[in-house]
Amino acid sequence: MRALFDAGRLLVISPHLDDAALGCGMLLTVATRAYVATVYSGMPADGTMLTKWDRDCGFSDSQAAMRARLLEDARAMALLGAETGYLGFLDSQYAPLPGRERLAKALAMIIDDYAPDVVAMPLGLHHCDHERVREAALLVMARRPRLLWLGYEDMFYRYRAGVLQRVLGQLGRRRIRATPVECATPGDPDRKRLAVQAYASQLRAVGVHTSDAAGAEERYWWLDAGGGAGRET
């Protein structure tokens, strides 16, 4: 028996510019209406800053990197038909991460304003930025139990040995059930491929081809702290 869900009015929480397209691109193409809230989208104040990651992506400074990444994201989201919202926080390569309560407050405001049927959050595999977003989203989930909450597998990090099992185990110890689920409607792989291709600077640093990044299967987990259900077929 497979557990299925309808994307409906969808909100995807994306740690960085590109995570939503990589982890939920297919899902975004089938939603009745789609909105992507990107957490770490702020511009570093120091115009001379250049992190190793931004240098590897081909930029001369980190402000130029963020300007280019925002343009990449705008192109990708237009291809996926998603509205965008940027929380404006700095990721850990630029500054200390914001606390989870602060992130949770910002996420709750967006969720309440958008009023989604489904919220997709990163499982937070390996990367500290993703882990902080997961923890903030779980705080909101506890306060908004009537929504359908999905955890999506963070692309690339999910291939690290044992990380998925570790996170699922952590959720289980907190009495959060994680059940594999599938979208009832197939997505559009061509639109996802074009959207992922828009993030050329990031793919360059990761060292993967667009076809590899766009062709990986998307996997979702229904997150439930005791109640609600996906429909079965």
Side-chain angles (χ1 to χ4, degrees):
M1 301 289 285
R2 294 184 299 150
L4 303 178
F5 69 92
D6 295 310
R9 187 178 175 90
L10 171 70
L11 186 146
V12 175
I13 300 171
S14 183
H16 302 105
L17 301 159
D18 69 9
D19 290 316
L22 288 167
C24 297
M26 294 278 280
L27 185 60
L28 287 164
T29 67
V30 299
T32 304
R33 185 176 173 186
Y35 186 101
V36 174
T38 302
V39 175
Y40 303 114
S41 51
M43 183 78 65
D46 184 354
T48 65
M49 174 182 284
L50 178 61
T51 65
K52 181 181 183 303
W53 178 261
D54 290 340
R55 184 177 65 247
D56 291 347
C57 290
F59 297 108
S60 58
D61 67 77
S62 292
Q63 287 189 349
M66 282 305 303
R67 285 193 294 269
R69 293 189 67 182
L70 286 163
L71 289 174
E72 289 177 344
D73 190 67
R75 289 194 292 270
M77 293 298 107
L79 288 163
L80 294 172
E83 302 171 62
T84 55
Y86 301 112
L87 276 64
F89 293 103
L90 296 176
D91 70 29
S92 59
Q93 67 173 329
Y94 301 139
L97 290 176
R100 63 174 189 165
E101 286 283 357
R102 185 180 174 198
L103 289 184
K105 183 178 180 180
L107 290 172
M109 290 179 62
I110 288 179
I111 290 170
D112 291 345
D113 182 62
Y114 182 67
D117 303 310
V118 180
V119 179
M121 56 177 277
L123 283 177
L125 306 179
H126 179 69
H127 197 298
C128 64
D129 292 6
H130 291 230
E131 292 170 348
R132 182 61 54 88
V133 171
R134 177 196 66 213
E135 291 305 303
L138 287 175
L139 288 178
V140 183
M141 186 181 90
R143 301 162 187 167
R144 309 290 190 282
R146 295 188 178 183
L147 298 176
L148 174 61
W149 288 84
L150 303 176
Y152 63 88
E153 296 183 10
D154 316 54
M155 191 55 63
F156 307 128
Y157 298 121
R158 75 184 194 184
Y159 297 114
R160 291 176 177 264
V163 296
L164 178 60
Q165 291 86 343
R166 175 177 55 81
V167 170
L168 293 178
Q170 290 173 347
L171 293 173
R173 288 189 291 275
R174 295 160 71 174
R175 299 187 178 181
I176 298 172
R177 297 180 297 198
T179 305
V181 288
E182 301 174 26
C183 186
T185 306
D188 187 333
D190 291 331
R191 285 171 62 192
K192 176 174 180 176
R193 177 180 53 79
L194 291 171
V196 170
Q197 188 175 348
Y199 298 103
S201 68
Q202 304 307 293
L203 296 180
R204 181 185 306 118
V206 174
V208 299
H209 296 291
T210 301
S211 57
D212 295 329
E217 178 188 6
E218 296 178 5
R219 293 198 293 257
Y220 306 101
W221 299 79
W222 165 44
L223 302 179
D224 171 46
R231 62 184 178 88
E232 295 186 346
T233 183

